């Protein structure tokens, strides 16, 4: 995620930023925060933003100036009073928390303030968590802790009770799409990849994956053959679809890719052309939208959703696709 200014992050996590902004304005920052939410929702970016606001020499209200020495040092990852703890291997060890505590017994190098961020806080060993607990129970006035986790249910209740928890919501599709476009992902891939996951990192990975580009083509080709009803759809399923989408996860994604084609036709029929995901197929889809009734498109969408459900019941993928093709060719 490249976003980092207050305004950028406000667009992605408005509730979290509003709460933090109000706390700054009223001088009521908590001594310990727990940021919890799925991967790719901006927890680390917001923790570093909060750190810049905390240490900024000339803030604009609650927003960091981004240009003073402190802001620049946090950006470059070398501010002496900001400490980031990450798992050493698979876990955060007791010695990591103890060395953090030792650091905090010293006076702040730049000011009296100190701030530490513990990434993947749920990966603390029991000993590390207990060491941290003592630390959280006796906070210094100018010390702030920010714990980050994707697995809040694995955190000790005693730690949770000493932190103010802020929940990071999955990113809106429009925000992920915008992020991908910023990263120079072509628009037709950005629109689709943004809808396949709620993490901008995963969406970026997907949009740059040759497999995904090929998957999109296999799905479009099958759709076109189904629409022509020239008897080639079953051959296509056997020779291209089944061999290409070999794993269950890939098959599930394939159904989503196909589903969006039919949803696009529905969007065109109800006058929402701007919502079309396969924008590069727009003239063709507009043509098809005239030829098929809205009721039929809704039935086809239902058929794909049913097939998606049945995929989880270990039905043969080829049999499932052949039944789906029959259903999609009707009407």
């Amino acid at each position: 995620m490249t976003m980092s200014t207050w305004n950028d992050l406000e667009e992605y996590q408005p509730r979290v930023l509003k709460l933090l902004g109000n706390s700054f304005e009223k001088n009521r920052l908590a001594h310990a925060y727990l940021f919890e939410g799925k991967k790719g929702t901006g927890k680390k970016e917001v923790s570093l933003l909060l750190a810049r606001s905390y240490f900024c020499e000339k803030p604009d209200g609650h927003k960091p100036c981004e240009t003073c020495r402190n802001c620049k040092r946090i950006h470059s990852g070398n501010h002496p009073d900001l400490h980031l703890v990450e798992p050493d291997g698979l876990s955060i060890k007791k010695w990591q928390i103890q060395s953090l505590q030792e650091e905090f017994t010293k006076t702040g190098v730049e000011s009296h303030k100190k701030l530490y961020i513990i990434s993947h806080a749920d990966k603390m060993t029991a000993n590390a968590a207990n060491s941290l607990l003592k630390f959280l129970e006796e906070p210094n006035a100018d010390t702030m802790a920010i714990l980050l986790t994707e697995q809040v249910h694995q955190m000790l209740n005693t730690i949770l009770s000493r932190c103010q928890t802020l929940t990071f919501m999955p990113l809106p599709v429009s925000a992920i799409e915008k992020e991908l476009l910023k990263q120079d992902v072509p628009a037709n891939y950005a629109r689709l990849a943004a809808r396949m996951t709620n993490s901008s990192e995963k969406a970026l990975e997907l949009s740059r994956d040759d497999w995904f580009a090929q998957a999109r083509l296999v799905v479009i080709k099958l759709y076109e053959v189904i629409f022509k009803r020239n008897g080639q759809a079953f051959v296509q399923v056997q020779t291209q679809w089944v061999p290409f989408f070999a794993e269950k996860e890939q098959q599930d994604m394939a159904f989503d890719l196909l589903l969006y084609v039919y949803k696009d036709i529905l969007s065109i029929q109800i006058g929402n052309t701007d919502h079309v995901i396969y924008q590069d197929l727009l003239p063709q889809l507009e043509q098809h939208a005239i030829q098929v009734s809205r009721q039929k498109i809704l039935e086809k969408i239902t058929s794909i959703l049913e097939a998606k459900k049945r995929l989880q019941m270990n039905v043969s993928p080829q049999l499932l696709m052949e039944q789906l093709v029959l259903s999609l060719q009707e009407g």
Side-chain angles (χ1 to χ4, degrees), residues 193-234:
R195 282 155 179 83
M196 305 305 287
T197 168
N198 57 21
S199 155
S200 56
E201 289 163 26
K202 281 186 192 162
L204 184 60
E205 208 177 287
L206 204 55
S207 63
R208 289 179 172 167
D209 188 341
D210 290 342
W211 180 89
F212 184 65
Q214 191 60 35
R216 185 179 180 278
L217 291 176
V218 171
V219 168
I220 291 170
K221 185 80 195 293
L222 180 67
Y223 163 72
E224 288 171 344
V225 170
I226 286 172
F227 204 86
K228 285 175 190 161
R229 281 189 251 165
N230 60 6
Q232 292 300 303
F234 292 109

Side-chain angles (χ1 to χ4, degrees), residues 211 242-253 311:
W211 180 89
V242 173
F244 189 79
F245 299 112
E247 294 163 23
K248 190 170 275 192
E249 196 181 327
Q250 294 175 340
Q251 292 155 10
D252 191 57
M253 190 181 283
L311 181 65

Side-chain angles (χ1 to χ4, degrees), residues 294-306:
R294 193 182 303 180
Q295 183 55 40
K296 283 290 176 193
I297 291 297
L298 285 167
E299 285 169 15
K300 292 176 197 298
I301 287 172
T302 305
S303 297
I304 299 170
L305 291 170
E306 281 300 319

